[in-house]
Amino acid sequence: MAITAKQIIDSGAHIGTLKREAHPKTSKFWLGVNNSLVVLDPEKMAEQLEAIKTKVQECKKENKKILVVSEKKMFTDEVKKLCEDKGVFYLNQKVPGGFLSNFPTLMKRIDSLNEMKRFIDSESFEMLTKKEQAIYRRKYKKVDSIYSGVAKLSARPDLVIVVDGMQMKGFVKELKGLQNIDAVIMAGTNFDSYVGKYDVIANMFSYKALNFMLTTILS
């Protein structure tokens, strides 16, 4: 079913930032300004989201690796739930520096996480004292909270979806400097970088809007 302007309006995804905070590079997506807030064109947004949805579906058909990246605290649990339901990788905490550009280091961290899990499930772990077990579990939980969504990632992702490109400006710069990785950037009207074919300018401050958009493009 095609994405409609009404769905976008109902979710509030078409509401931008204050005009004084908005960047001119996003102005081609504006419908107007109401009470100092930028209002985005829901028809253009529907086209953007349809293009992204098609791209995601193509990647899934080709069994390509899709990664969703978000540092938005209000959206942490929903990113985990949606991505696990849709079978895609995710990072929903603070993204480690050089995550993609220094991928071999990331793989070592993932291997370490998986090794910790195997140890916890082993008989050797039961031989530790209760205090030692508690300390080790806390250490594992800390690492797991960061890397659990990529624990089975065996190679660089083919497609990366970034939630709030302005908040993750450094990561977006790193991502766009890499070859052979397609990028989808979801960003607000304050986004000051080039808006590509598979990017969408939308409301980045509404849980309802973010949930609608991510659910839609991953379906």
Side-chain angles (χ1 to χ4, degrees), residues 13-216:
H14 67 305
I15 304 300
T17 60
L18 290 169
K19 183 182 178 182
R20 68 171 182 269
E21 298 173 352
H23 198 279
K25 286 184 178 179
T26 67
S27 61
K28 64 181 179 180
F29 302 105
W30 300 7
L31 183 64
V33 178
N34 185 21
N35 293 326
S36 299
L37 283 174
V38 172
V39 178
L40 293 158
D41 187 334
E43 296 289 350
K44 288 183 178 179
M45 290 184 66
E47 293 175 4
Q48 289 174 293
L49 290 172
E50 279 290 353
I52 296 170
K53 182 179 178 180
T54 299
K55 180 68 176 177
V56 170
Q57 289 175 339
E58 289 173 352
C59 286
K60 285 186 174 183
K61 287 180 181 178
E62 296 172 10
N63 293 318
K64 290 185 175 180
K65 299 176 180 65
I66 301 171
L67 172 68
V68 174
V69 181
S70 172
E71 291 183 348
K72 301 190 81 66
K73 292 183 179 179
M74 69 172 177
F75 210 44
T76 300
D77 293 339
E78 194 62 25
V79 168
K80 174 181 170 67
K81 181 178 182 299
L82 278 173
C83 291
E84 289 181 349
D85 286 348
K86 302 300 181 181
V88 300
F89 299 103
Y90 65 90
L91 283 170
N92 62 345
Q93 303 286 340
K94 182 70 176 177
V95 178
F99 176 80
L100 293 174
S101 58
N102 193 14
F103 198 75
T105 298
L106 168 70
M107 292 305 300
K108 290 179 182 178
R109 292 172 181 170
I110 293 175
D111 288 343
S112 176
L113 172 66
N114 292 330
E115 182 60 36
M116 291 173 74
K117 181 64 170 65
R118 285 192 290 270
F119 178 61
I120 289 174
D121 293 337
S122 71
E123 293 181 0
S124 297
F125 184 74
E126 297 301 323
M127 297 175 67
L128 299 178
T129 65
K130 295 296 182 182
K131 182 178 180 180
E132 289 172 331
Q133 288 182 12
I135 292 172
Y136 197 88
R137 286 185 188 279
R138 282 198 297 270
K139 181 180 178 182
Y140 170 77
K141 186 176 181 180
K142 182 178 180 180
V143 178
D144 183 64
S145 68
I146 300 172
Y147 296 107
S148 62
V150 291
K152 295 182 180 179
L153 185 63
S154 58
R156 277 184 178 177
D158 302 292
L159 175 67
V160 178
I161 301 171
V162 179
V163 179
D164 200 340
M166 195 61 187
Q167 181 182 4
M168 303 191 65
K169 193 173 179 179
F171 180 80
V172 170
K173 184 178 180 180
E174 175 191 351
L175 175 60
K176 292 202 170 185
L178 297 172
Q179 295 181 339
N180 303 320
I181 299 180
D182 290 326
V184 168
I185 312 298
M186 299 167 62
T189 49
N190 58 346
F191 192 52
D192 60 1
S193 298
Y194 171 74
V195 180
K197 179 180 178 181
Y198 296 114
D199 299 341
V200 61
I201 300 301
N203 187 348
M204 292 292 106
F205 302 99
S206 163
Y207 175 91
K208 183 178 180 181
L210 290 171
N211 184 51
F212 163 72
M213 289 186 289
L214 196 57
T215 300
T216 298

